[in-house]
Amino acid sequence: MNKKLLFIPLVLFMGLVVMFMIQLSRNAGGDDPTKLESVLVGKPVPQFKLEDLVEAGKLYEQDIFKGEPLLLNVWATWCPTCYAEHTYLNQLASEGVKIIGLNYKDERLKAVRWLNELGNPYLHSLFDGNGMLGMDLGVYGAPETFLIDANGIIRYRHVGDVNDRNWNETLKPMYEALIEEAQG
């Protein structure tokens, strides 16, 4: 047997060690490998025409995202994390945070029942039954939340639930900065 072949596992192991060291160094420098960037950050909300979740036939277009900073929350009744998040969204709405809901790949009647039973934190509720707007937004699943400025430009994408920790540490400072930017 060729003695050089015996070193292949050692070389592969050393390569893995170097790769892990590089990633750990990046993580220590603030790089979050779990963060999902969106190619839409810095771009307008994609064009759409969707019905209101509750009032079928009432249509909305992307102009509902203009005028003031707000959150676009993607949710569905089949999503257990959305259920856990919903109470917090109600709290944020009661504190004056503007939220538009995008009901994603869901059954309309179940979604309307959800809002009637759990409260409705949304200024408008868009019904995206076939998931086309979600697809245009690059949504992987629910919940996801987009922070949108007063000009309808997507400024940040948050994957996962909105809760007290990530709201206060990340989303709230950005939301407040967008409000100041819009006022000033």
Side-chain angles (χ1 to χ4, degrees), residues 4-18:
K4 291 180 183 177
L5 293 176
L6 294 174
F7 290 102
I8 289 176
L10 178 63
V11 170
L12 291 174
F13 176 76
M14 294 305 291
L16 284 173
V17 168
V18 169

Side-chain angles (χ1 to χ4, degrees), residues 70-109:
L70 49 81
L71 304 177
L72 170 62
N73 177 252
V74 181
W75 67 282
T77 59
W78 47 260
C79 162
T81 307
C82 298
Y83 184 84
E85 173 190 58
H86 198 81
T87 301
Y88 196 73
L89 294 177
N90 282 327
Q91 178 186 327
L92 291 179
S94 72
E95 294 171 2
V97 176
K98 310 293 185 196
I99 309 169
I100 291 180
L102 177 66
N103 182 247
Y104 178 67
K105 293 185 176 180
D106 206 351
E107 294 177 36
R108 184 185 293 250
L109 291 177

Side-chain angles (χ1 to χ4, degrees), residues 1-117:
M1 180 178 213
N2 188 345
K3 289 185 178 182
K4 291 180 183 177
L5 293 176
L6 294 174
F7 290 102
I8 289 176
L10 178 63
V11 170
L12 291 174
F13 176 76
M14 294 305 291
L16 284 173
V17 168
V18 169
M19 287 177 25
F20 288 132
M21 294 296 289
I22 290 171
Q23 186 59 49
L24 288 172
S25 173
R26 288 181 180 166
N27 292 354
D31 182 31
D32 182 359
T34 62
K35 185 177 174 183
L36 296 174
E37 296 291 337
S38 172
V39 295
L40 293 178
V41 171
K43 296 181 180 175
V45 173
Q47 292 190 359
F48 68 89
K49 188 176 281 188
L50 290 176
E51 286 188 337
D52 185 276
L53 175 65
V54 179
E55 295 180 50
K58 183 177 180 180
L59 295 175
Y60 292 109
E61 297 181 24
Q62 63 273 25
D63 61 343
I64 62 171
F65 293 104
K66 293 185 178 177
E68 60 187 338
L70 49 81
L71 304 177
L72 170 62
N73 177 252
V74 181
W75 67 282
T77 59
W78 47 260
C79 162
T81 307
C82 298
Y83 184 84
E85 173 190 58
H86 198 81
T87 301
Y88 196 73
L89 294 177
N90 282 327
Q91 178 186 327
L92 291 179
S94 72
E95 294 171 2
V97 176
K98 310 293 185 196
I99 309 169
I100 291 180
L102 177 66
N103 182 247
Y104 178 67
K105 293 185 176 180
D106 206 351
E107 294 177 36
R108 184 185 293 250
L109 291 177
K110 283 184 179 179
V112 170
R113 189 176 321 124
W114 167 299
L115 293 179
N116 288 335
E117 292 174 2

